[in-house]
Amino acid sequence: MDPQAITTCPRRSGEDKIIEITGMHKWFGDLHVLNDVNMSVFKGERIVICGPSGSGKSTLIRCINRLEEHQQGTICVDGIELTGNLKNIEKIREEVGMVFQHFNLFPHLTIIENLSLGPIWVRKKPKKEAEEMAMYYLDKVHIAEQAHKYPGQLSGGQQQRVAIARSLCMKPKVMLFDEPTSALDPEMVKEVLDVMINLAEEGMTMIVVSHEMGFAKSVAHRVIFMDFGQLVEENTPHEFFTNPQHERTKLFLSQILH
Amino acid sequence: MTAATQPTVRPAGLKAPVIRIGVVQWMRRNLFNGVFNSLLTVVVLLLLYKIVPPFVQWAFIDSFWTSTAEQCRAGGGACWSIIPANLRFIIFGFYPYELHWRPFLAMLLLVGLLLYSKNRNHWRRSLLWMWIVGLVVMGTLMKGGILGLTAVESDQWGGLPLTLMLSVFGMVGAYPLGILLALGRRSKLPAIRTISILYIELIRGVPLISMLFMSAVLFPLFLPEGVTFNKILRAQAAIILFTAAYIAEVVRGGLQAITRGQYEAAESLGLDYAQKMRLVILPQALKIVIPPTVGILISAFKDTSLVVIIALYDVLKTTKSALANPVWMGFSPEAYIFVGLIYFVCCYAMSNYSRRLEKELHS
C-alpha cells in the first residue's frame, strides 16, 4: 500500500486518543442528523451512547467506519483521517470492529468460515492459522462446539456472540456495537452482555450504542446522551444516572427507567 | 453463562393425530366436489379416452421400427424406421460420413465433462484445466487438420454436435458476462452503469433472430476486406451476447434480495469491492436466482434452433432435411417427436440438476 495515500492526522504527543471527531455534521437529504459532533475516545475507554430513537446515535458510530459518509468536520481513527480515499477507508475498517443489531452473519458460510473470512482475505493469513484463531475466539464466546454449523441453525444470542467473535478475529483496536441486544429475545440478552463485559475487562476500546442501562452503569467510563443529532450531555455513569443536568436527559431517563 | 447455553430437555408430548381417508372419500374430495368439478372430471376423462388409446395404437401397436419406407406406407401405424435409417444424418449433418466417430467422440467428451462437473466436490481449479484441455481436444477432433486428422471445415459441421456446442458455450459465456452486467448496472460509477443499462435494454429490445442476421450479414460489412470470421463463431457470439442480457436482469434481482446488512458486514471487515462481491454477495444472490436462471438457460438451449435462418444445420434443421428425401417424405410426426425427445431429455436434465443444486446449497 502506498503510504502517501493515507491522510494522517496531526497528533499531539502525550495524547492517547484513538478516535477524534471534530465539528462533524451529517445530513440525510434536508434532515440534519448529526449536528456539530465533537468527541474523543481514549485507548481502552468504554463509552455507552444512549438517546431516543432517531437521535443519530447509530449514524454517529456508523460514520466512524464510514458505513455512512459525513459531510463536514473531521474524523480521525488511530491517526488516520477518514476521507473519500478508499485506501483510508479500508485501512480504518481493518482496525475498527463492528457488531450490528441484526448480527449480519453470512448465512451461506459456516460459523468458522464466517470468522476466518476476514483474516484470510484482508489480513492474508494462511487458512490453518486463521481457523485456529477463529476457534480461539469461538471458545472465548463459549460457542466452539457450533463451529461447523450454519448461522441459521443458531439462536439469536449465539449468532450475536459469533458476530462479536468475527470482529475480534480481525484484532481490531476499537469495537463499535450498534444496539447489539435490541433484536434479541429477552432470555438471550445476558449471554451477549456477559461476552461484552469480558471484552471490557480485557481492556478493549468500546463504543456501545445501547439502552442497557445496567451494562452502562457497570462497564462504561462515560455515558453520552444524544438528542436531535447533538451530544447533549456526557458524564460518568454514576453522575449521569443520579444527577442528570439537562431537561432532555432527565425526561429520557424517566421514560426508560421505570 | 453456562446456564443459558445448557440445553433443557423437552417433556414427551402427545403424538400428532393421523387422518386417513379411503379411495372413495379421496375421489369425492378431489374430483367430484361440486357440480362444476364433477362435470370437468367427466369431460377430461372423455378427452383422454378419445386421445390416449388411438395414440398408443399408432405409436406402439401398429408401428414399424426397422422396416423400409414402403412397408411403412402399406401399414397404418407410426413409422419409427425413419429414425434408424436417417440417424447418422440427423445427428451429424453433412460431416463426412466416414469421420463421424470424431464428432461422436467430441460429444462424448463434452457430456462426460458436464457429468463430471455436476458434482460440487469437483469444483476445484483442476476442473478448469480439465475443461481447457477438453475444449482443445474437442476442437481438434471437430476441425482436424493436425495429427493426421483430415481437416473438416466448419461449414460441414452440423446436427447435434452443433446444437450442443452453441448451447453449452452460449451458457458458459453468457453467465459470467451476465453477472458482470448486473454488477455494472448497480455500479456507483455513472459511465459503467449507463453502458450496462444501454446494453441490457438494447439487446432485450431486439429478437434473437435479428441478432443472428446481424451477426451473419451486417457484422462482416464492418470488417476489413479479406478478414472473415467463422459463421458458427459469429452465431455463437450473438447467442452469448443475447442470453447475457437476460441473465443480467435475473442476477440483478438476486442482488437486490440481499440485505444491506450483508454489504455492511462485509465492508466493516475491510473486504474490498471484489472480495465483498465474490465471497459474500454473489454466492447468496446467485443461489436465490437458480430457478429463473435455469429457465433462461433452457430457453437459450432451445433458441439455438433459430440458427437455421442463417443456414446453419442444427439438429432440427438436419431432421427437416432428412424429411426432404422423397423416400421418407410424409413421416414428419415421427421425426419431430424424436427431435422433441432429444430436446426434452436435455432440458429435463438441466431442470433436474438445478433442483438438486438448489437443495444441496440450501443451508
Side-chain angles (χ1 to χ4, degrees), chain A residues 62 65 67-68 90 93 96 100 104-108 117 121-122 124 142 150 161 166 170 191, chain B residues 1 4-5 260-262 264-273 275 278-280 283-284 363:
Chain A
R62 286 162 60 83
N65 70 349
L67 291 180
E68 303 285 355
E90 275 165 21
R93 283 176 178 162
V96 178
F100 300 88
N104 295 347
L105 295 178
F106 306 132
H108 61 299
L117 191 73
W121 293 97
V122 180
K124 311 290 179 202
H142 314 290
Y150 286 93
R161 285 186 278 147
R166 178 174 70 179
M170 291 295 290
E191 62 187 71
Chain B
M1 181 80 261
T5 50
R260 208 169 136 207
Q262 291 290 314
E264 290 177 351
E267 283 164 13
S268 71
L269 282 177
L271 297 176
D272 63 31
Y273 177 83
Q275 293 170 333
R278 190 163 61 88
L279 301 166
V280 177
Q284 298 183 58
S363 49

Side-chain angles (χ1 to χ4, degrees), chain B residues 40-340:
Chain B
L40 219 57
T41 306
V42 172
V43 169
V44 168
L45 283 177
L46 211 70
L47 276 176
L48 286 178
Y49 174 74
K50 283 273 178 211
I51 295 168
V52 175
F55 179 79
V56 171
Q57 181 82 22
W58 174 78
F60 299 107
I61 298 171
D62 295 343
S63 57
F64 298 87
W65 297 81
T66 50
S67 63
T68 60
E70 285 71 39
Q71 284 168 306
C72 278
R73 280 185 219 285
C79 183
W80 300 115
S81 321
I82 183 175
I83 310 298
N86 293 288
L87 187 63
R88 284 179 69 165
F89 181 74
I90 291 177
I91 300 289
F92 298 112
F94 291 111
Y95 206 90
Y97 192 82
E98 64 287 354
L99 298 176
H100 280 176
W101 61 273
R102 277 163 46 183
F104 182 72
L105 267 187
M107 273 201 298
L108 222 56
L109 187 60
L110 183 66
V111 172
L113 272 172
L114 285 174
L115 287 178
Y116 184 79
S117 311
K118 270 177 83 170
N119 189 336
R120 277 197 315 132
N121 296 330
H122 296 160
W123 293 2
R124 281 184 248 108
R125 192 167 293 258
S126 54
L127 186 65
L128 189 68
W129 287 110
M130 285 172 64
W131 270 98
I132 292 171
V133 172
L135 285 184
V136 172
V137 174
M138 279 183 246
T140 315
L141 278 171
M142 289 298 288
K143 192 150 175 80
I146 49 168
L147 300 172
L149 296 170
T150 323
V152 178
E153 280 317 309
S154 60
D155 47 13
Q156 288 172 289
W157 299 5
L160 195 56
L162 183 67
T163 295
L164 286 181
M165 193 177 88
L166 286 174
S167 49
V168 170
F169 299 129
M171 293 171 198
V172 171
Y175 195 59
L177 182 59
I179 292 173
L180 286 181
L181 284 167
L183 292 176
R185 190 160 187 173
R186 286 167 61 86
S187 167
K188 285 194 190 112
L189 306 170
I192 292 181
R193 194 175 55 235
T194 314
I195 291 172
S196 305
I197 292 177
L198 269 179
Y199 177 91
I200 292 169
E201 295 305 335
L202 273 178
I203 298 279
R204 288 205 309 169
V206 174
L208 178 58
I209 291 195
S210 66
M211 291 214 26
L212 288 170
F213 267 133
M214 276 191 262
S215 78
V217 183
L218 205 58
F219 184 60
L221 294 180
F222 298 114
L223 289 177
E225 199 85 23
V227 177
T228 52
F229 261 118
N230 185 315
K231 193 150 92 179
I232 295 180
L233 210 62
R234 277 183 273 141
Q236 181 78 78
I239 289 171
I240 290 177
L241 295 178
F242 184 80
T243 310
Y246 286 84
I247 299 268
E249 283 301 273
V250 163
V251 171
R252 188 166 72 97
L255 289 173
Q256 275 168 349
I258 306 299
T259 58
R260 208 169 136 207
Q262 291 290 314
Y263 289 87
E264 290 177 351
E267 283 164 13
S268 71
L269 282 177
L271 297 176
D272 63 31
Y273 177 83
Q275 293 170 333
K276 176 176 73 178
M277 286 302 169
R278 190 163 61 88
L279 301 166
V280 177
I281 306 300
L282 282 176
Q284 298 183 58
L286 296 182
K287 190 185 95 183
I288 299 174
V289 296
I290 287 176
T293 310
V294 172
I296 288 172
L297 295 183
I298 284 178
S299 66
F301 174 69
K302 292 182 295 185
D303 282 352
T304 56
S305 55
L306 292 173
V307 295
V308 39
I309 60 135
I310 54 169
L312 289 178
Y313 277 71
D314 78 313
V315 70
L316 195 59
K317 177 67 180 169
T318 52
T319 309
K320 224 176 150 193
S321 310
L323 286 169
N325 181 345
V327 179
W328 293 102
M329 221 176 248
F331 297 115
S332 44
E334 292 85 342
Y336 285 134
I337 287 175
F338 175 70
V339 208

